[in-house]
Amino acid sequence: MTNYKTLIDAETWAFIERTNSYYPPDTIDYTIDQQRQIYDRMCREFFAGYPQGVTVETNVIAAPAHDVTIRIYRSAAPNASAMVLYVHGGGFILGGLDSHDDVCAELCARTGYEVVSVDYRLAPEHPHPAAFDDVIGAFEWATSTYECPVLLCGDSAGGNLAAAVSHATRGHARRPIGQVLIYPGLGGDRSQGSYVTHAEAPMLTVRDLDFYRDVRTGGEDRTGDLTLWPLADADFTNLPPSVVITAQCDPLSSDGEAYRDRVVAAGGHAFWLEEPGLVHGYLRARHMVGRARSSFTRIVDAVSVLGRGEWVW
């Protein structure tokens, strides 16, 4: 039995308790509409505002499958080396442009890159592959709109979608210059590693993961679907340089290690960092937990470096 009382520090426990006060651990037992209301309220409570000098514009782009709403963040001191396509988390059923609004604004302010957040369609109203199709559409829009390279970044479900897009577009003339994946779910082996050690972790459990998967797929067995699970791919060559940052106390953490190992074995660049004592969803803790603040700085640095086309790991 994992002893979270010793693994997790007091600051992080305070964050967990604050989160649970808005978003109780049994929220998956509510209806989807109720879950969204609870999640949206929690995100509003954690909203940190925009850094000075960041301007925001919300637009709709025409994509092949479906028109997609995006939000563009611009810095007062722009850096045109790259732009960031950001894909939000939320288990494929929650979240949107507002849930990760301040994260995207801070990423923009601290890197200088334009950040475009994608409001992809959610399950169960729009089961897989709707979200994937929307993010691919947004990526194709970005490569045809921006002259600079496109960097993919996403957390949790968004990390899954970003990685799936990297795999699907590696043969394209305009490929991602890199990807930064934050505690992503990539379809790893559930019989070992963090799936076992941290099956009952605070903030995310294996039961939660099963629920989100079943809602996303409509209960269909889609084992081997590369657009659903990037780790199902048999070919890890020609992927963009990848930085994967995970939380130690998270059933998904082993996916980062597995993904890094596959990319490196195929001759590519990949770096995996497991943040000690942190939990899934810690991006929202970046202003109240020292470990999360430090990790967010590492995320910002990874985005900056990959956006310049460099590899320092």
Side-chain angles (χ1 to χ4, degrees):
M1 189 74 179
T2 304
N3 187 352
Y4 291 114
K5 290 196 167 36
T6 56
L7 273 181
I8 297 173
D9 65 13
E11 281 185 326
T12 309
W13 273 119
F15 163 69
I16 293 167
E17 286 159 12
R18 185 178 171 199
T19 301
N20 288 343
S21 72
Y22 304 124
Y23 192 90
D26 66 350
T27 297
I28 61 164
D29 296 323
Y30 292 59
T31 68
I32 300 291
D33 281 345
Q34 288 170 328
Q35 290 184 49
R36 287 174 181 162
Q37 290 170 16
I38 292 167
Y39 183 80
D40 290 347
R41 177 175 171 246
M42 177 192 68
C43 293
R44 286 194 298 271
E45 294 290 345
F46 279 101
F47 181 70
Y50 290 169
Q52 192 170 357
V54 173
T55 56
V56 179
E57 174 189 345
T58 303
N59 272 333
V60 176
I61 59 173
H66 180 264
D67 286 353
V68 179
T69 305
I70 60 168
R71 186 167 290 166
I72 305 170
Y73 301 80
R74 297 184 178 96
S75 167
N79 179 341
S81 303
M83 64 81 65
V84 179
L85 194 69
Y86 193 91
V87 193
H88 70 80
F92 308 97
I93 67 170
L94 308 168
L97 297 180
D98 293 339
S99 64
H100 290 63
D101 196 22
D102 50 354
V103 170
C104 291
E106 289 174 41
L107 200 54
C108 169
R110 292 178 62 174
T111 62
Y113 300 150
E114 277 195 26
V115 175
V116 174
S117 180
V118 185
D119 193 20
Y120 57 85
R121 286 171 290 171
L122 301 175
E125 296 90 341
H126 305 285
H128 181 75
F132 170 77
D133 290 342
D134 288 351
V135 180
I136 278 272
F139 175 79
E140 299 292 5
W141 168 84
T143 57
S144 64
T145 303
Y146 289 82
E147 292 183 3
C148 64
V150 178
L151 176 81
L152 292 167
C153 184
D155 68 285
S156 193
N160 167 287
L161 291 164
V165 169
S166 287
H167 284 246
T169 59
R170 60 186 149 181
H172 293 203
R174 291 284 305 276
R175 301 183 299 175
I177 193 174
Q179 57 177 346
V180 177
L181 311 177
I182 306 158
Y183 40 76
L186 301 173
D189 183 349
R190 294 188 176 215
S191 70
Q192 61 181 0
S194 57
Y195 283 101
V196 176
T197 313
H198 296 290
E200 298 292 330
M203 303 285 282
L204 188 71
T205 66
V206 166
R207 177 173 175 252
D208 297 331
L209 295 174
D210 290 344
F211 173 81
Y212 294 136
R213 176 200 62 206
D214 291 346
V215 174
R216 184 188 185 193
T217 61
E220 284 184 36
D221 180 6
R222 302 189 67 124
T223 306
D225 182 342
L226 311 190
T227 63
L228 188 77
W229 301 124
L231 277 170
D233 202 339
D235 181 7
F236 280 76
T237 60
N238 298 317
L239 288 167
S242 306
V243 173
V244 190
I245 299 179
T246 63
Q248 178 187 16
C249 305
D250 180 348
L252 294 175
S253 191
S254 292
D255 283 12
E257 181 180 24
Y259 194 79
R260 186 268 321 266
D261 290 350
R262 306 263 179 96
V263 175
V264 170
H269 287 309
F271 175 77
W272 169 61
L273 173 66
E274 182 181 72
E275 297 286 13
L278 283 177
V279 291
H280 195 85
Y282 71 76
L283 275 182
R284 278 187 295 276
R286 69 197 181 283
H287 293 299
M288 60 182 290
V289 174
R291 290 174 175 180
R293 184 180 298 110
S294 298
S295 182
F296 188 60
T297 294
R298 284 187 277 276
I299 290 164
V300 168
D301 290 346
V303 169
S304 293
V305 170
L306 292 183
R308 294 195 299 267
E310 298 172 5
W311 184 258
V312 299
W313 292 272

